Amino acid sequence: MKHDDIDRKLLEELTEDGRLSYVELAEKVGLSRVAVKDRIQNLKDKGVIEKFTVVINSEKFGKNVSAFFEVDVEPKQLQQVAQNLADNPHVASIYQMTGPSTLHMHVLVEDFQKLEVFINEELYAVTGITRVESSVILKRFKSRTGFKL
């Protein structure tokens, strides 16, 4: 799918601040408000823009422990395990990775006690998981949703 420089500039601006108005975006790219609105609608219709959202600082909302998990799964159970974990409210994101049916998962919880409960009572309880490795984030230097153009 081809995109011109104006589409790229609109996406860059929206990535930095998704609340920019059509008027503000129009000023930044040198088009009319209506032209910008049409372009953004076109990008949405083509699935380039999946959704507009807000990024919440998890620590300021009480989720003080952020951990990543590598979860190996029996191949025949991969889809069911992934869906089961994706439905868990502590799971922020989950991806299937290359390798032996491995899932990469990001979990946010209030404290280390909740992390222990999550691991022992929610993660280990899922049938089909064969191995779990975890890493806890000590400090965030950069976090980004999507990707930079």
Side-chain angles (χ1 to χ4, degrees), residues 58 65-71 90-95 97 102-109 112 115 118-119 123 131-144:
S58 59
V65 176
S66 181
F68 287 98
F69 290 83
E70 299 299 327
V71 181
H90 299 297
V91 175
S93 60
I94 186 167
Y95 304 93
M97 306 297 284
T102 298
L103 299 174
H104 177 76
M105 181 172 65
H106 182 205
V107 171
L108 296 166
V109 292
F112 285 103
L115 182 63
F118 170 79
I119 292 169
L123 185 58
R131 185 185 64 84
V132 174
E133 287 187 19
S134 62
S135 301
V136 175
I137 294 176
L138 298 177
K139 181 178 181 179
R140 176 176 57 172
F141 291 101
K142 180 179 180 178
S143 179
R144 178 170 203 82

Side-chain angles (χ1 to χ4, degrees), residues 18-103:
R19 294 187 62 179
L20 288 173
S21 69
Y22 293 133
V23 171
E24 292 168 314
L25 287 166
E27 290 172 2
K28 291 178 181 285
V29 300
L31 293 177
S32 71
R33 178 191 61 78
V34 173
V36 166
K37 182 177 185 232
D38 289 344
R39 279 181 175 259
I40 291 173
Q41 186 60 52
N42 187 37
L43 291 167
K44 288 169 50 180
D45 291 345
K46 289 181 177 177
V48 175
I49 296 175
E50 291 182 358
K51 66 180 178 177
F52 291 92
T53 188
V54 63
V55 177
I56 299 169
N57 181 319
S58 59
E59 291 175 359
K60 296 195 185 275
F61 203 68
K63 303 286 186 175
N64 297 307
V65 176
S66 181
F68 287 98
F69 290 83
E70 299 299 327
V71 181
D72 284 352
V73 179
E74 294 174 17
K76 290 181 181 178
Q77 304 226 6
L78 178 64
Q79 295 302 317
Q80 182 60 42
V81 169
Q83 189 58 57
N84 187 323
L85 293 171
D87 291 341
N88 187 297
H90 299 297
V91 175
S93 60
I94 186 167
Y95 304 93
Q96 180 180 359
M97 306 297 284
T98 57
S101 302
T102 298
L103 299 174

